Amino acid sequence: MKNTPTVRDLRSALALLKTLPGEYVETDTEVDPHAELSGVYRYVGAGGTCQRPTRKNGPAMVFNKIKGFDDISVAIGINGSRKRVSHFLNCPPEKLGHLLKDSVQSPIPPVLTTGKAVAQEVVHLATDADFDLRTLLPAPTNTEEDAGPYITMGLCYASDPLTHESDITIHRLCVQSRDELSMWLTPGRHIDAFRMKAEELGQPLPISISIGVDPAIEIAACFEPPTTPLGFDELSIAGSLRGQAVEMVNCLTINEKAIAHAEIIIEGELLPNVRVREDQNTDTGRAMPEFPGYTGESKDALPVIKVKAVTHRHQPIWRTTVGPGEEHVNMAGIPTEASILDMVGRAMPGKLLNVFAHSAGGGKLLAVMQFKKFSPADEGRQRQAALLAFSAFPELKHVILVDEDVDIFDSDDVLWAMQTRYQGDIDTLTIPGVRCHPLDPSQVPEYSPSILQQGMSCKTIFDCTVPFHLKHHFERSKFKEVDVKRFLPDFE
């Protein structure tokens, strides 16, 4: 029997992928981190909402030679297919939302390690004369018009200056100078709440950025309120997924912790009352490609992280992602599914069978919900479930409701249900004037008179379920059950 590597960090995750056919590729051809690296992976396996042509469910990729950088490689697309995530978490792909829901309910808090952390084998201090983030770290640009090099897979960890409760999440970080990063925090994020508290006190907020970690942490960090309220440390979800606590290590130059097994750690402080224009070095007016498939506008005044130190493993692996790719779908979408399953399950147990945060919405804007009606009294409950989904995940824009015989992970099957079980005049429910996600470019007053300000949206439910009293008219053709392997032994 083949030994399967136990996933505990990025390197063991890559080792596992190397044992799985078609899930891993690498190249020794030198690549430029400026636009070229992401340009290559767009074809290899980005998927998601990326510009076509792209490849959905393509392999993860490692670039071994980065132009301008020695002894460092770059890994991309690690979570870029649901199948790969299922291997990392040892769970069937269709059950991942259920797994994460259960993990939220059985958290294992992180612990502080007492031994030497591999993430601190090599130390670079900002006080060193040759310290420069731009030459030390191969942060790529996704396109040639990006505001600058971006850290797209940095696990940002900070603590409330008053309660000392901690939070971890992924944010858009742009390299602005030798020792400064700009940080975009969408409204409602917990680290932004910590930052504002520190700013009111006139204090900097210590923050660590761990790069290249166990995929379980990358996914757990993408949970949002109300499933993980203020003060809930998402690292405890990753601990539950692994059945053991995530090990942390004290930073060297700031009063904060970081992930001990990370490839790279950036230590810094969010400065009070300091702001910077995101594209000050390029003047493009653009930030970087985001999950809806469009390049976001650069922001005029973003908080600044003053970097104090960078530590890393020997020959570290930089971790990045393509903003609109399938990797975002899985990292953001599977926690979204878990949040919806949890809220609806508590309100109406057994009715909602499964949820898919669809790739077309980047894991955030579109959910397909599989609902089962058991009796005439369940008619209408499917629409209540959709309303609860909007509460469970406020950035959700559209919900498609389908019956239990529809494969929610097969878009053709979902669209079939829409064509044969949906009438637009009676099965469309709209909720205008509701907050959604600020990166949706259609959410502007110029697009619709119902939108009073940017960031508002019309949330819509598409009820593609059969009315209970008509179910006998909508039975799918039933084919004979056979053992295909009698005819094709290698069939999967």
Side-chain angles (χ1 to χ4, degrees):
M1 182 176 178
K2 182 170 65 174
N3 290 325
T4 302
T6 300
V7 177
R8 61 187 181 281
D9 57 13
L10 175 57
R11 297 191 184 200
S12 54
L14 291 173
L16 172 59
L17 293 184
K18 291 177 182 179
T19 69
L20 304 173
E23 297 292 352
Y24 175 89
V25 292
E26 63 180 67
T27 179
D28 291 329
T29 301
E30 184 179 78
V31 68
D32 191 337
H34 181 71
E36 187 176 45
L37 188 150
S38 296
V40 171
Y41 194 66
R42 168 236 179 153
Y43 290 103
V44 173
T49 59
C50 262
Q51 176 190 16
R52 270 50 183 170
T54 186
R55 185 180 177 192
K56 184 176 181 179
N57 297 324
M61 187 170 186
V62 171
F63 294 85
N64 291 320
K65 293 184 179 179
I66 313 300
K67 183 179 179 180
F69 298 87
D70 297 325
D71 298 323
I72 188 167
S73 55
V74 175
I76 188 170
I78 306 303
N79 297 311
S81 82
R82 199 175 181 99
K83 182 179 178 182
R84 281 202 289 280
V85 174
S86 76
H87 285 298
F88 293 145
L89 301 184
N90 194 28
C91 173
E94 68 277 8
K95 293 294 184 182
L96 287 168
H98 294 270
L99 173 67
L100 263 70
K101 173 182 70 71
D102 295 342
S103 297
V104 173
Q105 297 166 358
S106 56
I108 298 178
V111 296
L112 186 64
T113 183
T114 55
K116 181 180 179 181
V118 292
Q120 296 175 332
E121 290 173 338
V122 181
V123 178
H124 305 270
L125 299 175
T127 53
D128 296 339
D130 61 347
F131 183 91
D132 193 327
L133 293 171
R134 297 164 295 192
T135 57
L136 185 60
L137 303 174
T141 59
N142 272 195
T143 73
E144 293 179 298
E145 63 179 3
D146 286 11
Y150 274 93
I151 300 171
T152 57
M153 287 296 295
L155 280 295
C156 302
Y157 193 80
S159 303
D160 188 307
L162 299 178
T163 68
H164 308 295
E165 294 170 323
S166 301
D167 180 77
I168 191 162
T169 190
I170 299 172
H171 292 284
R172 188 169 93 196
L173 305 169
C174 186
V175 180
Q176 297 292 347
S177 69
R178 66 178 293 275
D179 64 350
E180 289 182 333
L181 305 170
S182 62
M183 185 177 195
W184 185 55
L185 301 116
T186 51
R189 297 297 188 263
H190 294 168
I191 286 182
D192 198 29
F194 300 164
R195 179 196 62 80
M196 289 189 287
K197 282 187 180 182
E199 194 164 83
E200 288 177 2
L201 297 170
Q203 300 173 357
L205 180 73
I207 186 168
S208 70
I209 305 163
S210 300
I211 300 164
V213 300
D214 181 351
I217 296 175
E218 295 175 338
I219 294 167
C222 293
F223 270 97
E224 296 180 13
T227 303
T228 53
L230 189 66
F232 190 108
D233 190 340
E234 288 84 359
L235 285 174
S236 64
I237 302 173
S240 179
L241 288 170
R242 291 289 177 235
Q244 61 183 39
V246 175
E247 291 190 347
M248 307 294 285
V249 64
N250 283 322
C251 293
L252 303 180
T253 62
I254 60 171
N255 183 26
E256 192 49 272
K257 297 182 285 294
I259 298 169
H261 69 244
E263 293 289 321
I264 299 164
I265 296 172
I266 300 173
E267 303 179 3
E269 293 177 331
L270 269 163
L271 301 178
N273 304 308
V274 176
R275 302 292 185 269
V276 66
R277 180 164 58 91
E278 194 170 15
D279 68 337
Q280 65 174 345
N281 295 312
T282 61
D283 294 317
T284 63
R286 303 294 190 120
M288 60 166 282
E290 291 284 4
F291 75 89
Y294 302 90
T295 297
E297 295 180 355
S298 63
K299 303 299 180 181
D300 292 333
L302 291 182
V304 173
I305 298 174
K306 192 74 169 180
V307 175
K308 300 292 186 180
V310 172
T311 69
H312 59 79
R313 295 186 181 209
H314 292 297
Q315 297 182 310
I317 304 169
W318 182 264
R319 180 78 170 86
T320 191
T321 191
V322 173
E326 190 75 11
E327 188 157 36
H328 185 281
V329 171
N330 293 314
M331 290 191 301
I334 298 172
T336 298
E337 296 163 12
S339 298
I340 294 171
L341 286 165
D342 178 57
M343 183 167 284
V344 178
R346 284 187 282 120
M348 46 185 82
K351 310 289 186 187
L352 182 63
L353 304 185
N354 213 345
V355 181
F356 176 38
H358 200 283
S359 304
K364 284 179 175 283
L365 300 181
L366 172 62
V368 184
M369 300 173 58
Q370 186 185 53
F371 192 93
K372 184 172 183 178
K373 303 171 189 175
F374 292 89
S375 71
D378 287 335
E379 190 59 57
R381 288 185 179 272
Q382 76 277 12
R383 299 183 179 191
Q384 290 178 321
L387 293 173
L388 286 170
F390 291 134
S391 299
F393 187 72
E395 294 175 350
L396 183 63
K397 182 180 181 183
H398 293 149
V399 168
I400 300 176
L401 293 162
V402 297
D403 293 296
E404 67 272 16
D405 63 338
V406 176
D407 182 351
I408 62 174
F409 300 101
D410 183 340
S411 295
D412 287 345
D413 216 29
V414 173
L415 289 176
W416 167 80
M418 178 171 280
Q419 307 324 303
T420 64
R421 301 177 174 184
Y422 167 84
Q423 289 293 324
D425 58 338
I426 61 168
D427 291 324
T428 310
L429 291 79
T430 59
I431 312 168
V434 186
R435 283 283 166 185
C436 197
H437 198 287
L439 290 175
D440 176 359
S442 71
Q443 294 182 164
V444 291
E446 295 83 356
Y447 201 97
S448 168
S450 72
I451 298 174
L452 302 180
Q453 56 181 271
Q454 186 173 1
M456 296 179 71
S457 190
C458 178
K459 304 202 174 198
T460 307
I461 300 168
F462 302 89
D463 188 353
C464 303
T465 62
V466 174
F468 187 83
H469 71 284
L470 295 177
K471 284 185 80 72
H472 62 286
H473 288 299
F474 289 84
E475 293 183 0
R476 302 182 79 150
S477 302
K478 291 182 172 59
F479 290 81
K480 182 177 181 178
E481 293 294 333
V482 297
D483 180 9
V484 179
K485 288 186 179 293
R486 282 182 51 217
F487 305 89
L488 297 170
D490 296 329
F491 182 81
E492 292 184 1

